[in-house]
Amino acid sequence: MHTLFEPVQYGSIATSNRFVMAPMSRNRATKHGHATALMATYYSQRAGAGLIISEGIQPNQVGQGYMNSPGLHTLSQAKSWQPVTDLVHTQGGKIVAQLMHCGRIGHPSLYPSAHQSVAPSAITAQGQTYTQDGMKDFAPPRALTIDEIHATISDYVQAARYAIMGGFDGIEIHAGNGFLPHQFLANNTNQRQDCYGGSIENRTRFTLEIVAAVSDAIGAGRVGLRISPHNTFNDIAETDTEQLYSALIQALPTDLAYLHIMEAASRTTSDAIRQLWTGALILNPHNRWEDGPVTPAIADKVLQQDLCDGVSLGALFVANPDLVERARLNAPLNDMDDSTLYGGGAKGYTDYPTLDKVAQAV
Ligand SMILES: Cc1cc2nc3c(=O)[nH]c(=O)nc-3n(C[C@H](O)[C@H](O)[C@H](O)COP(=O)(O)O)c2cc1C
């Protein structure tokens, strides 16, 4: 059995250990979606993780769902990532860009272009989102036309090319957590009557076409896919989860860098996917939500059980830039400050102390 401290190969991406920093939106990019020097500091501080998955990055303007989220749809955005990826590489880490198109999740008041969101079908998400004017109901999206679906897939391809140009080691397509690809997968959000809606084959088409197109562009060994079966976040209600994901996984090219599961309280589904999927698997283990954030002990256990090849951790990487070192030494962990997660500056972002800083302070 493997340990967290052993190297692993995800397709074309070789990493020095099996810790993965989970993708986390921190909303500190510029209002035009550029990465900043502070973001370079933040990610490089966490380069002890074998692999960092970046925060969600919109592949086109309409895919933006939150204020100050970064983009990869212009050349200048691509270039803004170079200092980030260079610093991570200097520290011996690897980093992939998570391409996150939010679809119907968002609000026109959040974006520079005040655009209306798009979705498979014109169905408004129940719930609210945080805006400059406080919490607001999600706004009604409009349904994408077939031509717009094809254009969106091309935008993913361009964003993947920009990611490689900006020095990323690969990309992760976010097909979970109720964002656009998930909105196509789930039957409550996809009520299309054409070849992108209805049957499981049709609902998986959008995700599979993105995977195929970006793989053609940058090589399958640099492409990961994140899914979150059973996750109801962002008003998703899947009624055929087991059949849906088993069809999706069986149709995926097996030479992808990795498949990444955000587990939503269903270990049975993760087990079933492990059996079906022959490629590398990264797990964000949440067998029971009440267990709280993924700990190194949980990560170690799922590796020992051969449930996956790498384990992603979110909250603990926010609060512990040197999480891997702390895990190695079995050292105490910092607490996370919830109030500084989204937006703002260095506070709660790049100022969490490492072990040596803690030692100096004593
Ligand atoms: C502040 C924050 C932002 C997040 N943003 C994203 C995101 O952009 N993309 C994504 O796939 N998941 C996102 N997540 C979910 C995490 O990747 C992860 O699945 C979740 O935090 C559970 O793992 P944990 O218990 O180790 O924190 C976010 C989580 C947090 C805490």
Side-chain angles (χ1 to χ4, degrees), residues 6-342:
E6 282 173 41
V8 63
Q9 187 83 29
Y10 302 117
S12 312
I13 307 167
T15 72
S16 59
N17 63 54
R18 290 165 188 251
F19 286 87
V20 177
M21 177 170 155
M24 282 178 291
S25 297
R26 303 300 308 273
N27 308 81
R28 283 161 167 92
T30 69
K31 72 173 180 185
H32 296 298
H34 292 96
T36 66
L38 192 64
M39 289 163 67
T41 303
Y42 165 75
Y43 282 113
S44 66
Q45 286 174 339
R46 287 154 180 80
L51 179 67
I52 294 174
I53 304 172
S54 80
E55 62 207 281
I57 304 178
Q58 56 264 8
N60 58 20
Q61 176 63 71
V62 79
Q64 184 175 1
Y66 301 97
M67 231 180 322
N68 293 99
S69 57
L72 265 172
H73 49 91
T74 67
L75 183 60
S76 64
Q77 289 170 345
K79 286 184 176 163
S80 75
W81 282 100
Q82 192 76 58
V84 180
T85 56
D86 280 350
L87 260 191
V88 169
H89 290 148
T90 306
Q91 303 294 321
K94 295 284 163 71
I95 179 165
V96 298
Q98 187 187 58
L99 300 185
M100 174 169 105
H101 189 308
C102 294
R104 67 180 188 154
I105 296 305
H107 194 276
S109 70
L110 292 172
Y111 327 122
S113 56
H115 61 256
Q116 186 185 10
S117 305
V118 296
S121 305
I123 302 170
T124 310
Q126 297 302 301
Q128 295 198 315
T129 189
Y130 183 74
T131 74
Q132 282 123 323
D133 312 315
M135 296 304 282
K136 290 254 178 201
D137 288 349
F138 287 119
R142 64 180 183 80
L144 287 162
T145 64
I146 295 237
D147 283 348
E148 286 173 329
I149 291 175
H150 295 159
T152 306
I153 295 168
S154 301
D155 290 340
Y156 273 91
V157 168
Q158 184 56 55
R161 290 206 171 103
Y162 276 147
I164 300 300
M165 213 182 276
F168 283 101
D169 297 287
I171 60 119
E172 175 178 284
I173 296 157
H174 192 1
N177 297 5
F179 297 111
L180 186 67
H182 202 180
Q183 293 160 25
F184 273 87
L185 291 171
N187 34 19
N188 74 314
T189 40
N190 182 349
Q191 299 190 350
R192 299 180 72 94
Q193 309 284 324
D194 59 15
C195 64
Y196 288 96
S199 65
I200 283 179
E201 191 186 356
N202 285 352
R203 279 182 279 134
T204 54
R205 191 180 309 281
F206 180 60
T207 300
L208 291 169
E209 286 184 352
I210 299 170
V211 168
V214 297
S215 297
D216 273 355
I218 65 166
R222 301 203 172 281
V223 175
L225 176 69
R226 188 175 218 211
I227 54 173
S228 63
H230 298 289
N231 194 355
T232 56
F233 186 60
N234 284 327
D235 192 27
I236 288 289
E238 300 164 347
T239 58
D240 51 5
T241 307
E242 308 298 340
Q243 302 93 308
L244 176 66
Y245 289 93
S246 71
L248 177 71
I249 283 147
Q250 288 177 86
L252 283 176
T254 51
D255 54 351
L256 284 189
Y258 62 82
L259 180 66
H260 183 186
I261 306 176
M262 181 188 174
E263 197 173 60
S266 175
R267 186 56 49 88
T268 320
T269 303
S270 308
D271 274 333
I273 292 175
R274 180 65 163 169
Q275 300 310 317
L276 276 178
W277 173 245
T278 55
L281 186 70
I282 297 174
L283 185 66
N284 183 229
H286 280 282
N287 197 14
R288 299 188 333 209
W289 286 112
E290 61 268 32
D291 283 340
V294 183
T295 61
I298 294 174
D300 191 50
K301 189 164 152 210
V302 292
L303 260 191
Q304 293 304 317
Q305 293 171 335
D306 196 32
L307 263 174
C308 56
D309 304 290
V311 188
S312 67
L313 303 93
L316 292 197
F317 267 115
V318 169
N320 299 277
D322 55 348
L323 180 62
V324 176
E325 195 49 23
R326 285 173 190 255
R328 198 190 304 275
L329 300 171
N330 208 12
L333 300 172
N334 298 323
D335 289 331
M336 185 173 82
D337 172 14
D338 286 350
S339 72
T340 48
L341 281 177
Y342 304 106

